[in-house]
Structure formats: structure tokens, C-alpha cells
């Protein structure tokens, strides 16, 4: 089996908990060749822990190194790194969001196609065994009448303290300023100061719809809810319309229609609060129901539970089956699929076009929330929208 030489950009929480661990487990398929991070303490400690000698503080130097795959796990705007990696002929894994606008997302899709390289966006839920089983079950429904997603954010620290992570002092203020500037007109001044791969937790209370939209776009839609968006699209396809959207500093409520089927998406920030993260994806028909119950994404090898409910129409008998499909982590299954895509010429299910459409839908949600007007085909084409522009 061909071993793929990997260069990893970004040595933060999700890299330490998931990606580097599973790359090391899959050593017959991957070789961690080089690491890159702005923070020298983090770079040294993570490099020592995983036995990676070649280290860079500039991503340009890593891309120029003799590697086959660039894994972009850093915060900030991924588009410049992705475009440079494609131009250098490197295969690419990029954590969401792939870019900060769908216009840049389309540029990435075009560049990857022109370079003939593989790009996978890091939506690990799409590779989970329970998710795959749920998707297959929903396609067998005689009728689907409603789809629903729900995410209850809770503090993430209780889910990661047992890993013994490296948490050095943050980079200098000028690094934060540069990251904030990348978010342009959608940026919230605190958005790049998150210490984890999740929504912003700053305490300010924006007073205008435009201010709320900026904060929600960069801190919630692109950083957290984009996973929900990608997951429901993976089951139902592209939405025919985005019917309504309501944004506050702590909640997002979205209504869409997929081929005549209504769907609701809800996200609520319950922090600071108890450590009871909860996420559900549910699909309802008159004769069958399917619900995915997802644990915190920071828990390694914690399975998603699939609940299938069925019964006789207008009858008294019904039943619910609770299914554990696999203890194999979605992050690990994602890497296995990535190896197959690179070595066998497969197209990733979460490719650049898929990532662009998620970003387009995030933009559309902001547009609908500010204008109050529905949008048809909200993922069909890239658009550049900026509140107040």
C-alpha cells in the first residue's frame, strides 16, 4: 500500500486530538513528514510528541517541502494556502470552512480541477458509519415529510481535558489582527481568538442586525453550523429554497425546502452552562422515522447512535431500534477514504464544489435574515454578499 507523505499546517486542539493521532494509527497509509505552526512552543512540543523532525513556521515553506498531501488545520482564511498548494501540485485536506466566501470557494474548485489534484473538505460526519446508514434508510422512506437538525452548544473543555493537550500562550497580538482582517466585512473583532474549533464566545452585545450578522456569519455559521448544513445536504441534496432565517447572538433558526420537503435547522449557544452537548439530525415519515444522536465531536471513538422507528400505518404496533453501527471514529474513516481518493482517483464526497455550496448557503442565510425575503436555489451559484455594502 502506498504511503502518503503528509505535511500538517496547524497543531491546535483538533489536530492533537484527532488528525495526528489517526494519521499515526494509519502509518501503513500515511507518513507525517512535516509540521507547521505560528507558535514555536506548540510546534516544538507537538513535534516532539509525534516524532516529527521537520518543522516550519511558514506554510509556504511546508508546501515547498517534498510531501504528497497538505493538511490545513489552522484557523483564519484557508483560501490562500489551498490555492498555493494546488498550484504546487499537492493534494489537499482542508478543515472547514474551506474559504470565507463562496467566490473564493469557486476559485478553489476551479484551481483544484485545473491542477488535477485531490481536495477533501473536513466534514467528518459524512464519513461516519451511522450517518451513512441513516442516509441509506432515508432513501427508502415511502414518504418524507420533515427533516430537522438541532445543535445545543455547551462548554467544550470537559470533553478535552483528559487528552493532556498542549496549550501554550497565544501568538502575538499582530497575528490575531491579521487573522481578524481576513474576515473582511463579515469579521467580528474577537472571532479569531477562539481556543477551539467552535463558535465565538465573546461577551459583547451587537446592537444592529448587521453587527449580529457579522458575528454569526464568522463565529457560528462558518465555524459550527456549517457541519449541520453539510450533513443535511449529504442526505437530501441541494435545497430548492431558503425560506426564512433568524439570527441572534445566541441562536440561529433556518427553514429550507428540499424537493418539496420542509426542513428546519436550529442552533443555540447554551454557554456558559453544563457539559451536555447535544446534536440531532431527524427525518420523519408517516411509517418510518430516523434520528441520529451525536456526541461531542471531541470524544474519540464515541459512536453516533441511530434510532429507527417504524410501525403499521393506523395500527397500534410500533417499534424503535437503537443501532450502534461502528466504534471506528469518523475522523479515521475520513482519512481512509482520503487515501483511496488520492491513490485510486476517486472523487471525495466532500470535494471543493461541495464545500463551496456550504459557504454559499451560509451567505444566503445572512441575506435572508437581513432582507426577510426567501431565496431560490441558495447553493446553486457563488455570490458575494456583505451586510451594509
Amino acid at each position: 500500500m502506498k504511503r502518503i507523505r503528509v505535511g500538517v499546517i496547524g497543531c491546535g486542539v483538533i489536530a492533537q486530538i484527532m488528525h495526528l493521532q489517526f494519521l499515526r494509527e494509519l502509518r501503513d497509509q500515511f507518513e507525517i513528514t512535516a509540521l507547521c505552526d505560528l507558535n514555536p512552543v506548540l510546534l516544538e512540543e507537538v513535534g516532539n510528541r509525534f516524532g516529527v523532525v521537520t518543522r516550519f513556521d511558514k506554510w509556504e515553506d511546508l508546501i515547498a517541502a517534498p510531501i504528497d498531501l497538505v493538511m490545513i488545520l489552522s484557523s483564519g482564511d484557508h483560501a490562500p494556502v489551498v490555492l498555493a498548494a494546488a498550484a504546487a501540485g499537492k493534494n489537499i485536506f482542508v478543515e472547514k470552512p474551506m474559504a470565507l466566501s463562496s467566490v473564493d470557494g469557486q476559485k478553489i474548485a476551479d484551481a483544484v480541477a485545473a491542477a488535477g489534484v485531490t481536495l477533501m473538505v473536513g466534514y467528518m460526519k459524512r464519513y461516519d458509519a451511522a450517518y451513512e446508514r441513516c442516509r441509506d434508510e432515508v432513501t427508502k422512506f415511502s414518504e418524507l415529510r420533515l427533516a430537522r437538525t438541532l445543535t445545543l452548544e455547551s462548554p467544550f473543555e470537559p470533553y478535552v481535558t483528559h487528552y493532556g493537550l498542549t496549550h501554550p500562550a497565544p501568538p502575538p497580538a499582530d497575528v490575531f489582527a491579521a487573522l481578524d482582517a481576513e474576515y473582511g466585512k463579515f469579521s467580528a473583532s474577537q472571532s479569531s481568538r477562539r481556543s477551539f474549533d467552535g463558535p465565538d464566545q465573546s461577551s459583547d452585545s451587537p446592537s444592529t442586525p448587521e453587527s449580529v450578522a457579522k458575528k454569526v456569519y464568522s463565529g457560528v455559521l462558518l465555524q459550527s453550523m456549517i457541519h449541520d448544513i453539510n450533513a443535511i445536504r449529504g442526505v437530501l441534496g441541494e435545497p430548492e429554497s431558503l425560506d426564512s432565517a433568524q439570527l441572534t447572538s445566541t441562536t440561529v433558526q433556518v427553514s429550507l425546502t428540499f424537493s418539496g420537503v420542509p426542513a428546519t435547522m436550529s442552533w443555540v449557544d447554551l454557554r456558559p452552562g453544563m457539559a451536555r452537548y447535544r446534536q440531532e439530525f431527524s427525518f420523519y415519515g408517516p411509517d418510518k422515522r430516523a434520528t441520529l444522536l451525536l456526541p461531542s465531536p471531541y470524544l474519540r471513538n464515541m459512536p453516533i447512535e441511530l434510532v429507527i422507528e417504524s410501525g403499521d400505518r393506523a395500527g397500534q404496533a410500533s417499534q424503535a431500534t437503537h443501532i450502534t453501527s461502528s466504534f471506528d471514529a469518523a475522523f479515521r474513516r475520513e482519512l481512509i477514504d482520503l487515501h483511496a481518493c488520492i491513490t485510486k482517483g476517486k472523487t471525495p464526497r466532500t470535494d471543493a464544489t461541495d464545500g463551496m455550496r456550504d459557504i454559499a448557503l451560509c451567505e444566503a442565510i445572512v441575506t435572508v435574515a437581513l432582507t426577510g425575503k426567501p431565496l431560490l436555489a441558495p447553493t446553486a451559484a457563488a455570490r458575494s454578499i456583505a451586510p451594509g455594502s
Side-chain angles (χ1 to χ4, degrees), residues 104 108 134 145 171 181 186 207 253 255 267 280 286 305 333 387:
D104 282 349
I108 288 172
C134 180
R145 293 187 180 175
F186 282 113
S207 58
Q253 296 280 349
S255 297
W267 179 96
E280 299 178 6
E305 182 181 9
R333 290 168 58 89

Side-chain angles (χ1 to χ4, degrees), residues 271-311:
R271 298 164 299 172
M274 57 185 175
R276 292 290 293 176
Y277 176 88
R278 180 177 176 181
Q279 189 170 59
E280 299 178 6
F281 301 150
S282 299
F283 305 88
Y284 304 103
D287 306 313
K288 203 169 189 180
R289 305 172 190 176
T291 298
L292 285 170
L293 303 173
L294 293 86
S296 167
Y298 298 103
L299 295 177
R300 198 183 300 146
N301 294 104
M302 186 73 172
I304 294 176
E305 182 181 9
L306 172 61
V307 181
I308 303 292
E309 300 171 83
S310 59

Side-chain angles (χ1 to χ4, degrees), residues 329-352:
F331 283 95
R332 185 177 182 275
R333 290 168 58 89
E334 181 180 56
L335 286 173
I336 292 171
D337 198 77
L338 175 61
H339 186 277
C341 289
I342 293 172
T343 59
K344 299 179 182 179
K346 291 175 51 182
T347 298
R349 67 191 73 166
T350 55
D351 63 4

Side-chain angles (χ1 to χ4, degrees), residues 189 215 225 228 233 282 311 321 345 361 368-369:
S189 63
K215 191 176 186 67
M225 202 169 174
D228 310 29
R233 286 183 50 251
S282 299
T321 303
L361 185 50
V368 170

